[in-house]
Amino acid sequence: MSTPENTPQPGYYNLTPAQFSTEIRQPGAVLLDVRRPDEFAQGHLPDAVNIEVTAPDFAQRVAALDKAAPTYVYCRSGARSAKAAEQLAQAGFTHVTNMLGGVLDWPEPLTMR
């Protein structure tokens, strides 16, 4: 029986926050926060890039990212990031991972820098 963690979705993987925390430490990883800029300003994961998934220019902005780089996506609860992960996979990104539960379940301190 499969569990939600590590279950392949069409083109991306889901990880628990603990698994996600370990994975994002690899060299070359791109950490993508897809929440609104005001949410991002209230606290985000260190070194995250903020590109709002609901912004009209989302596809154009992510097209500037390296499609071959491991890309880790998160939001507040995991819903918007799953949508973004699917869009990234459809756009040709080869290693996309979504964090289940979002920052609501993130066990480490957030940064405001």
Side-chain angles (χ1 to χ4, degrees):
M1 186 166 121
S2 68
T3 60
E5 319 65 67
N6 296 324
T7 302
Q9 300 300 318
Y12 69 93
Y13 288 89
N14 288 314
L15 293 179
T16 65
Q19 293 166 324
F20 195 87
S21 175
T22 300
E23 290 281 323
I24 62 173
R25 300 184 199 301
Q26 68 177 294
V30 175
L31 185 56
L32 185 59
D33 183 320
V34 296
R35 299 176 298 159
R36 296 185 320 267
D38 63 305
E39 292 175 291
F40 184 81
Q42 292 173 7
H44 54 274
L45 277 58
D47 301 318
V49 174
N50 183 217
I51 303 178
E52 182 183 358
V53 69
T54 58
D57 64 346
F58 177 76
Q60 180 182 358
R61 291 184 65 196
V62 296
L65 301 175
D66 181 355
K67 291 183 179 184
T71 305
Y72 295 87
V73 187
Y74 74 93
C75 65
R76 180 176 173 270
S77 67
R80 285 177 284 177
S81 58
K83 176 182 174 184
E86 186 174 330
Q87 290 179 27
L88 292 170
Q90 289 175 352
F93 284 74
T94 57
H95 184 99
V96 180
T97 304
N98 174 52
M99 181 170 67
L100 296 169
V103 294
L104 291 176
D105 290 345
W106 184 248
E108 299 172 29
L110 298 175
T111 184
M112 299 220 200
R113 293 184 288 123

